[in-house]
Amino acid sequence: MRITMIRLRGSSVLFLVSWLFHAMFLQPWTINAEPFMHSDVAAQISTANFTQALNSLGTDQVCLIEFYASWCPACKHFAPKFEKFAKFLKDKRLGGRLLYIARVDCATEVDLCGVFNVPGYPALFLGQALDFLAKDPKKLQVYHGHDRELQHLASWVGEYFKTELIYSDVEGGASVGGAGSSAAHISSTTAKRRPLPNGPEWSLADVEGATLQLWSIVVTTPILHRGAEKRAALRGILEGWAAAHPSTSCKSHATGLLSSYDKIWPAGEEEAPAALLQSEPCGPPSGLTFRGEWVTCRGSKPNSRGYSCGLWEMLHTMALRFPDKPGAAGPAQAMMTFMTLFNTHFFQCAPCQKHFGRILASPEAAAVTDRRTLSLWLWRVHNEVNERLRGIEAQYGHSTTGDPEFPKEQWPTPESCPQCRASNSLGTWVEDRVWEHLQRVFGVGSAPGADGVKSGTQLQLGQSSRIRTSIFYSLLPVLGVAAAALLLFLVVRGNMVLGRRGRGSGVVWSSAAK
């Protein structure tokens, strides 16, 4: 077999090398991206077919439309439940006819979701096709329940039609909920313990991942980047990251965005411009520890833990990094301002927002005056939230991002900090020891790569496959350079051979068998 070598022009070589570089390690987390769950019942509608699809129904047709975002963990968690609900409803004649059930992906249909003022994801809207076509959300019913239990959803739909609607499993026929299932959840939840961390309590990758996801939520949700209040709030979030983010890349790029913020988004301009929405708050992906997978925040199943866990890690680490300054610029007030802006403007979980808002307005929050009282207050708040969610998970078997393998508990655990509790008591805390523990586990340089501190390879929670993934990603730059060098060698060598044979220029592919 004789194979003729390839001859490429210089521009083609540069294109191939740059493409290889980009594909190999500038976008590493797109490799394992999982598609959003497909629905066999709900129609997928978009700006392109919205008007046509609803016009074909008749103006009095009642529609149930889910507005979700394909990047949203809560939406992915809800998707199987929504599919069950859609199957339950599809054969029900309510008001004399079948419901029209559809979904809209707000990650791609930003303008369409914007006109409906979607309050958060996932959101369920119920109403007549005429009102959907008029894009008048005030005439539509929106589900505001926080748990999205199927029986509660069924009751909500039943109320619209002034009838009692009781959910039952389409396949098994058994009602959802009941004392038996609740008791099973309680026993299974209380029997488990959260796995002890194998390595650092937090990871830089997860804080960067939470930062990127928060930014993605803001830039893909029109009501979150529209108007003077949101403009000021987003600036405040960037100011917090610029002052106290544990990732040097996020910190420096947030600082850069702030320096040109007024130029990019001038005061008086209603909508955040594309230049801001398309910016990277943490810089190019190649400079980040995050590789599209959660590390210390990884759950036992898809869409559990993740973003909410990463947000807590962000708050605990930032609380120990705001610079020491007097007054409102000091660490305590600066951190409280950051959390208030996030909760008021960008927290997409409505019941969580209300609960956290009450905490921020409490006398205990007002008593926070310095870094120590700030960190201890945030620790107590985290445990309070854990206790509230533990009750929800015990009753319903899950919370929005809960994980049965990581049940909520009070921390630090006795194993992590034996001195943090008074002897012979699991309920009495020794706050001096807790304060020392918080500084040790969340302070500067406490996780690999944090604050620019060089450290050894970061171990990921007890999964050999995840360690192999980390090693693979660390080798990507080497493999990319080696592959590019090999490509250049083959091209140059081929050009030399073809030049000697006088075969002219251009790209030649041929083979011949002898």
Side-chain angles (χ1 to χ4, degrees), residues 321-343:
R321 284 166 177 76
F322 272 102
D324 288 311
K325 293 180 180 179
Q333 192 56 48
M335 187 68 200
M336 298 300 273
T337 298
F338 177 87
M339 289 189 291
T340 301
L341 289 173
F342 165 73
N343 186 69

Side-chain angles (χ1 to χ4, degrees), residues 208 211-212 241 245 247 249-251 253-254 280-285 287-288:
E208 289 176 342
T211 304
L212 295 176
W241 287 340
H245 204 290
S247 166
S249 185
C250 295
K251 188 172 184 177
H253 283 85
E280 296 175 319
C282 290
L288 301 180

Side-chain angles (χ1 to χ4, degrees), residues 15-348:
F15 171 78
L16 283 173
V17 173
S18 64
W19 176 87
L20 181 63
F21 180 85
H22 182 81
M24 291 278 306
F25 54 95
L26 279 188
Q27 292 184 317
W29 56 72
T30 60
I31 297 172
N32 297 318
E34 296 181 2
F36 197 85
M37 179 179 174
H38 171 75
S39 175
D40 293 325
V41 179
Q44 193 72 33
I45 55 178
S46 63
T47 303
N49 67 353
F50 182 83
T51 301
Q52 179 182 0
L54 271 67
N55 265 332
S56 65
L57 301 174
T59 57
D60 61 341
Q61 169 68 55
V62 178
C63 307
L64 173 67
I65 301 182
E66 180 199 17
F67 292 87
Y68 71 95
S70 51
W71 45 258
C72 166
C75 300
K76 293 179 180 179
H77 183 68
F78 179 63
K81 186 177 289 187
F82 179 74
E83 185 69 1
K84 274 190 173 184
F85 190 50
K87 288 179 179 178
F88 165 73
L89 291 173
K90 71 174 184 176
D91 297 322
K92 299 283 186 299
R93 287 196 169 273
L94 299 167
R97 60 195 307 178
L98 301 176
L99 272 177
Y100 175 74
I101 305 172
R103 302 195 306 175
V104 179
D105 184 358
C106 295
T108 56
E109 303 301 324
V110 174
D111 293 337
L112 181 58
C113 297
V115 297
F116 283 97
N117 292 323
V118 178
Y121 305 125
L124 295 177
F125 283 61
L126 183 65
Q128 292 188 337
L130 175 66
D131 296 324
F132 276 104
L133 284 167
K135 297 176 181 174
D136 188 354
K138 293 180 180 179
K139 293 184 178 180
L140 301 170
Q141 299 292 320
V142 183
Y143 180 73
H144 292 293
H146 71 277
D147 50 40
R148 302 188 187 94
E149 288 299 312
L150 294 176
Q151 181 51 56
H152 296 165
L153 293 174
S155 298
W156 172 65
V157 173
E159 287 174 6
Y160 180 89
F161 290 99
K162 295 180 173 55
T163 185
E164 184 179 17
L165 188 61
I166 299 175
Y167 176 81
S168 61
D169 193 301
V170 175
E171 297 175 352
S175 296
V176 172
S181 61
S182 178
H185 289 320
I186 292 172
S187 62
S188 63
T189 302
T190 55
K192 287 183 178 293
R193 286 284 311 279
R194 176 187 294 269
L196 292 174
N198 180 18
E201 296 257 356
W202 69 283
S203 71
L204 185 63
D206 290 348
V207 177
E208 289 176 342
T211 304
L212 295 176
Q213 185 154 328
L214 173 55
W215 187 261
S216 179
I217 291 170
V218 172
V219 301
T220 59
T221 309
I223 62 172
L224 298 185
H225 57 255
R226 179 186 297 149
E229 284 192 357
K230 290 295 188 282
R231 178 182 179 275
L234 188 55
R235 179 202 287 273
I237 295 296
L238 288 170
E239 287 172 346
W241 287 340
H245 204 290
S247 166
T248 54
S249 185
C250 295
K251 188 172 184 177
S252 63
H253 283 85
T255 301
L257 275 175
L258 277 175
S259 66
S260 55
Y261 193 82
D262 290 335
K263 182 178 179 180
I264 298 175
W265 190 355
E269 190 168 323
E270 179 71 7
E271 296 278 350
L276 180 64
L277 302 181
Q278 295 169 6
S279 61
E280 296 175 319
C282 290
S286 58
L288 301 180
T289 306
F290 183 65
R291 289 294 183 266
E293 293 185 350
W294 303 106
V295 183
T296 50
C297 287
R298 182 169 182 172
S300 64
K301 58 182 182 179
N303 311 320
S304 63
R305 303 184 73 222
Y307 176 56
S308 59
C309 169
L311 281 177
W312 276 116
E313 291 185 356
M314 178 195 295
L315 296 179
H316 287 297
T317 54
M318 287 180 64
L320 289 165
R321 284 166 177 76
F322 272 102
D324 288 311
K325 293 180 180 179
Q333 192 56 48
M335 187 68 200
M336 298 300 273
T337 298
F338 177 87
M339 289 189 291
T340 301
L341 289 173
F342 165 73
N343 186 69
T344 304
H345 296 279
F346 305 120
F347 204 175
Q348 291 296 87

Side-chain angles (χ1 to χ4, degrees), residues 4 25 35 95 112 157 191 315 331 362-363 377 451 472 476:
T4 303
F25 54 95
L112 181 58
V157 173
L315 296 179
S362 68
W377 172 82
D451 312 289
F472 170 73
L476 280 179

